[in-house]
Amino acid sequence: MSRTDDLLKIRSLLQERRRTTETAQSGARRELAALKDQERDPEYEEQAQAELADYTLSTLIEAQRREIMLIDAALSRMDNDVFGECVDCGNEISLDRLEAMPFAIRCEEDAALHEQETREAARHVGSLSL
Ligand SMILES: [Zn+2]
């Protein structure tokens, strides 16, 4: 299979994942809305439990929102024909890497470098606040 075919395969996987995530997200939103209704009832006796469920659902919805955002960003990189290109060096990101991490925007070397820089910047910020 050519790289183009592989990229098309990743694209349809991403689209499918977007649909699944969206469906799951509407389910979670509905559940959260139902929970909020319940919580408004002054007779409702399981407030603590409801708050925990509320928190869990909100965290889930937030994670789903972020995932959809990442998928959309990857799809738009595909539309602009830059998907699979490292944003730092412009080289092709290996298919193995893209299949494992379709949201990757950097090649392995640059990702490692970037992570190191981010860590160092975080440490710098940390030392400033001391
Ligand atoms: Zn690179």
Side-chain angles (χ1 to χ4, degrees), residues 7-55:
L7 291 184
L8 281 174
K9 201 178 72 189
I10 295 177
R11 184 185 182 95
S12 65
L13 285 176
L14 281 174
Q15 281 165 335
E16 195 185 312
R17 190 156 153 186
R18 193 187 195 288
R19 274 194 296 272
T20 325
T21 309
E22 260 189 337
T23 310
Q25 196 186 35
S26 350
R29 279 190 204 283
R30 264 198 306 276
E31 240 179 282
L32 187 63
L35 198 65
K36 297 255 188 231
D37 278 348
Q38 227 171 15
E39 279 174 83
R40 266 194 291 273
D41 181 355
E43 303 284 288
Y44 187 59
E45 284 169 358
E46 287 156 60
Q47 288 295 350
Q49 241 177 309
E51 268 166 41
L52 182 64
D54 189 321
Y55 174 77

Side-chain angles (χ1 to χ4, degrees), residues 22-92:
E22 260 189 337
T23 310
Q25 196 186 35
S26 350
R29 279 190 204 283
R30 264 198 306 276
E31 240 179 282
L32 187 63
L35 198 65
K36 297 255 188 231
D37 278 348
Q38 227 171 15
E39 279 174 83
R40 266 194 291 273
D41 181 355
E43 303 284 288
Y44 187 59
E45 284 169 358
E46 287 156 60
Q47 288 295 350
Q49 241 177 309
E51 268 166 41
L52 182 64
D54 189 321
Y55 174 77
T56 309
L57 280 170
S58 304
T59 311
L60 179 68
I61 292 169
E62 176 58 22
Q64 288 161 333
R65 195 187 62 81
R66 218 169 298 167
E67 168 139 5
I68 291 173
M69 217 172 63
L70 286 171
I71 293 175
D72 283 346
L75 289 173
S76 104
R77 284 198 299 279
M78 284 176 176
D79 289 338
N80 293 312
D81 233 13
V82 291
F83 180 82
E85 254 173 46
C86 173
V87 292
D88 284 348
C89 67
N91 289 338
E92 285 188 350

